[in-house]
Amino acid sequence: MTDKALPHRGTTASFGSDEDAVPDVDPSNLDLAWKHACGYLENYISATEKVHKTHAKEYEKILKSVSDPLKEGHHFDQNLGGIAGLFENIRTNTTGIANSHLETEKNLKGSVLPILGRLHAEIKHKSKELSSGAVKGSKSVDKARNVTQKQIELLGQHTASFSSSGGRVDSSSDPYVIQRGVSHRLNKQVIEENNNRHDLLAVQDSFQQFEAHLIQIIQQAMSAFLQIVGGQAERQKAMYSDMVATTQNIPLDFEWKGFVHRNNTILIDPAAPKRDVSRISFPNQDHVSTRPLIAGTLERKHALKGYSTSYYVVTPSKYLHEFKDDDDIRKDPTPDISLYLPDCTIGATNGVQFNIKGKDASKGKVGGALAMSHEFAFKAPTPADAEKWSGIIREAAGPGNYSGEFSGSVPASPVENRNFSGQQPPPQYQENRKVAPVQTQGLPQVPPGQTSGTVASAGGYGSGATPRTARLTQQVRSTPTSGGGLQGGVGPVTGAPPVTSGIEGAPGQY
């Protein structure tokens, strides 16, 4: 088993083995190593002190981020225990952290660094002591060694010449005499080395005590460093803990209760009832123009699907509006049909039925200008209701628009009333005017049994009309209206072109 090489520390002078007459000297300055170690500690403490100074400035920048008052701060309760109190706590603790770093920087500079500075000075003083004492003895040893080395070199020269000269040498050059001189000088060297050794042992013993003293001073400095830096870290931790505790202690309803208390006059009262449209009033709500003359449900006859029920209103503006229902909430109440009654012809009632002929004005000015007149047949729930509706409608339409007769014809569909290509245009009606009386003089009489073609020719119609056409023409001519015109305001005007129909078998009906 081989012996491991043990670590060793250099001494001030290392002596060679006993076989070496002039051992090599490798001095090592212990004070230089300790001087460097002390310098490292000083640099570390100084750098830490600078960092704390920088931290103090940085925390001052952090403090500026919360130094301004809260925006919209009036919404928060300014008493302690809320959000405003939390930010005040943050400002206070952040200021304390910045001040703690400044204090730490001052304490490191004023307490720890001076300890290491004094230690550095002691090491320098010890180094001078070694130089004045032990180093002087080392010089004497070096001088004795040089003398011995020269005598040994002289012995080597004369022993070599002794061999070459065959043994003839001077008495002063006799190797024997020279060898004895080496012994004499070597003895003096050993005495000097032993004296130096004694001095170095004393230095070593004193340096052992000095190293213990150095370590004690370093320990003292590091303890002071821990007390200062650790105290600052604990204070900083406590300040952060205080911020968190202040945040956690805010009641969840603290700000809301304060907000409600400060704004109880503008906040909605949860106990107050909800708004109801029926209890809301607005300007011109009850104006005379907004009150219907009559309103209710009527049935209107359609060409294809018979009667259907809708909600009708006669307004002071003299309109008859048709709505699907009287619901104003579900959708915007836009009329499906609007009849401007002064432009319409009103028929007489027949039980629960009455008719109105006019144009739908619900499509606006452009649509109304292009719209065609239609005859609308209505049915009320009772004859009394029919009379009531008819009377109000006649009053709104004016006396000149009442025909006085009831027409039981089915209103034509707007699609069917359009003029097709190749047919005669529809008859022209003059709305809002009385129809001219039917011409009865100067027309040939139709004898009984006359053919339909003769009847049509007498009435101004073209030949080839069907018997049904003749009968309808005869009926129209023989039924005068109360206003002097034809029933329902329909019929050819005197001097107008012959009336034809776009529907086969129904001349003049649209």
Side-chain angles (χ1 to χ4, degrees), residues 207-339:
F207 220 95
Q208 180 181 1
Q209 298 175 359
F210 183 66
E211 280 191 357
H213 172 70
L214 293 178
I215 293 176
Q216 287 179 352
I217 299 300
I218 291 174
Q219 290 175 347
Q220 179 184 353
M222 294 305 294
S223 296
F225 176 77
L226 174 62
Q227 182 178 1
I228 295 172
V229 178
Q232 187 277 331
E234 291 178 359
R235 290 194 301 275
Q236 181 170 334
K237 179 181 178 181
M239 293 175 188
Y240 278 121
S241 299
D242 184 60
M243 295 183 197
V244 176
T246 302
T247 306
Q248 300 297 332
N249 292 332
I250 299 176
L252 300 180
D253 57 349
F254 180 86
E255 293 296 342
W256 177 249
K257 287 182 177 179
F259 179 77
V260 171
H261 178 73
R262 295 189 303 272
N263 301 277
N264 56 354
T265 57
I266 61 175
L267 294 177
I268 299 175
D269 185 6
K274 295 182 179 179
R275 297 191 71 189
D276 190 353
V277 177
S278 61
R279 291 197 289 265
I280 298 176
S281 61
F282 47 88
N284 299 318
Q285 181 179 9
D286 296 326
H287 192 269
V288 64
S289 63
T290 64
R291 300 176 183 175
L293 302 178
I294 188 171
T297 56
L298 295 174
E299 296 183 45
R300 181 168 69 88
K301 191 173 185 179
H302 300 269
L304 301 178
K305 59 181 181 180
Y307 282 96
S308 64
T309 302
S310 298
Y311 186 78
Y312 294 88
V313 178
V314 178
T315 67
S317 301
K318 300 181 181 182
Y319 277 98
L320 173 63
H321 296 300
E322 177 189 287
F323 301 91
K324 292 186 180 299
D325 50 40
D326 62 343
D327 185 8
D328 296 343
I329 307 301
R330 184 166 49 89
K331 65 177 183 177
D332 191 11
T334 303
D336 296 333
I337 294 176
S338 295
L339 299 177

Side-chain angles (χ1 to χ4, degrees), residues 450-474:
Q450 181 66 38
T451 63
S452 60
T454 305
V455 174
S457 176
Y461 296 94
S463 61
T466 61
R468 181 180 178 185
T469 305
R471 288 194 302 273
L472 289 173
T473 305
Q474 182 66 26

Side-chain angles (χ1 to χ4, degrees), residues 461 468-469 472-473 499-510:
Y461 296 94
R468 181 180 178 185
T469 305
L472 289 173
T473 305
V499 179
T500 59
S501 172
I503 302 175
E504 182 180 356
Q509 181 178 350
Y510 285 89

Side-chain angles (χ1 to χ4, degrees), residues 23 33 40 47 57-58 69 139 144 150 163 194 202 211 248 333 353 360 407 410 417-418 432-433 457 473 476 487 504:
Y40 286 166
K57 295 180 180 179
E58 295 299 327
K139 290 182 179 180
K150 289 180 181 180
S163 299
N194 289 331
E211 280 191 357
Q248 300 297 332
Q353 300 178 354
D360 180 13
S407 174
V410 178
N417 287 337
R418 295 179 181 176
N432 303 327
R433 296 184 182 180
S457 176
T473 305
V476 170
Q487 185 269 339
E504 182 180 356

